[in-house]
Amino acid sequence: AQSVSQHNHHVILSEAASLELGCNYSYGGTVNLFWYVQYPGQHLQLLLKYFSGDPLVKGIKGFEAEFIKSKFSFNLRKPSVQWSDTAEYFCAVKSFTGNQFYFGTGTSLTVIP
Amino acid sequence: NAGVTQTPKFQVLKTGQSMTLQCAQDMNHEYMSWYRQDPGMGLRLIHYSVGAGITDQGEVPNGYNVSRSTTEDFPLRLLSAAPSQTSVYFCASSWGTGGNTDTQYFGPGTRLTVL
């Protein structure tokens, strides 16, 4: 089975600080990679995904992630966070030919105004 | 479109009781799945379906059954509830699982407590 590691469990930042959340996965083959976000009281929704092409992926609300195949990583970044980014962030992976999605344990981000 | 809907929103069961969590989607998605979310564990896949009549097990299938008689509906059955099944359950759907079709749309969740 594949696994996904998110190293930061809780992150607290001040507004305008830069954000980087780590995500590493274990699978040697071709993968699709995702970041999902769960805002307080809302459904999980897709932030961005990588399935082919440019390893630097841009998503909604100014987020981006870089797929580094040699490091099995898909870290999420945002240059300047806002209070409204307070949420839980989940990294997920799926093998290109598989049907199962594997999620990390999530990172809780709190942005202080 | 209503998207992915789940009922009930909250449920309290006693150990040994059975119940069905309902999930429906109106996007004509082929792929549907059930996850449970527990503190410190993230989301774990219980069962999934790649189309009507086809289901398969995920990471944590024990104690749960599913069926997919229509494209729209994917109910999750707890056969004999146990306290270890206390969790938040999410249903999700996507067009497929390949290429650019695998963006999952999640329901609002069902918070289940087993006493």
Side-chain angles (χ1 to χ4, degrees):
Chain A
Q2 300 161 38
S3 67
V4 179
S5 297
Q6 292 184 242
H7 314 296
N8 317 100
H9 297 294
H10 300 280
V11 173
I12 301 174
L13 294 173
S14 298
E15 273 193 320
S18 64
L19 171 72
E20 181 159 3
L21 301 183
C23 174
N24 288 90
Y25 64 93
S26 67
Y27 182 71
T30 304
V31 293
N32 291 1
L33 296 157
F34 310 82
W35 277 98
Y36 282 87
V37 61
Q38 188 175 26
Y39 296 106
Q42 295 189 25
H43 302 195
L44 275 101
Q45 58 185 282
L46 182 71
L47 201 55
L48 49 76
K49 65 182 282 188
Y50 169 84
F51 69 99
S52 69
D54 189 344
L56 184 62
V57 180
K58 295 193 184 300
I60 60 171
K61 303 187 180 185
F63 286 89
E64 65 178 31
E66 186 175 14
F67 170 46
I68 303 179
K69 189 174 181 180
S70 61
K71 295 185 178 180
F72 299 91
S73 71
F74 191 53
N75 291 354
L76 181 71
R77 300 193 292 249
K78 186 171 184 179
S80 175
V81 295
Q82 301 173 318
W83 174 78
S84 58
D85 293 325
T86 293
E88 187 139 16
Y89 293 81
F90 294 94
C91 181
V93 65
K94 186 187 76 64
S95 71
F96 187 74
T97 56
N99 294 320
Q100 296 197 41
F101 295 81
Y102 296 87
F103 282 77
T105 53
T107 297
S108 174
L109 171 66
T110 301
V111 179
I112 301 169
Chain B
N1 286 352
V4 180
T5 58
Q6 291 183 237
T7 55
K9 286 189 167 54
F10 302 93
Q11 183 70 49
V12 179
L13 292 177
K14 293 182 180 178
T15 297
Q17 287 184 314
S18 62
M19 79 159 295
T20 299
L21 307 185
Q22 301 292 345
C23 173
Q25 52 90 10
D26 61 358
M27 297 174 281
N28 205 30
H29 285 171
E30 290 295 326
Y31 183 90
M32 296 185 75
S33 54
W34 276 103
Y35 296 89
R36 58 178 291 172
Q37 183 182 20
D38 302 293
M41 304 289 287
L43 279 79
R44 291 180 292 169
L45 182 65
I46 304 172
H47 285 285
Y48 65 95
S49 168
V50 297
I54 306 169
T55 63
D56 208 343
Q57 297 181 351
E59 290 181 83
V60 289
N62 292 343
Y64 307 95
N65 272 359
V66 292
S67 60
R68 184 97 180 270
S69 56
T70 67
T71 299
E72 295 78 19
D73 300 299
F74 191 44
L76 178 73
R77 296 182 187 83
L78 279 71
L79 308 172
S80 177
S84 60
Q85 294 179 303
T86 293
S87 188
V88 180
Y89 291 85
F90 289 100
C91 181
S93 72
S94 64
W95 288 108
T97 57
N100 198 22
T101 68
D102 55 5
T103 297
Q104 291 191 90
Y105 295 82
F106 283 83
T110 294
R111 187 174 294 274
L112 175 68
T113 301
V114 182
L115 303 175

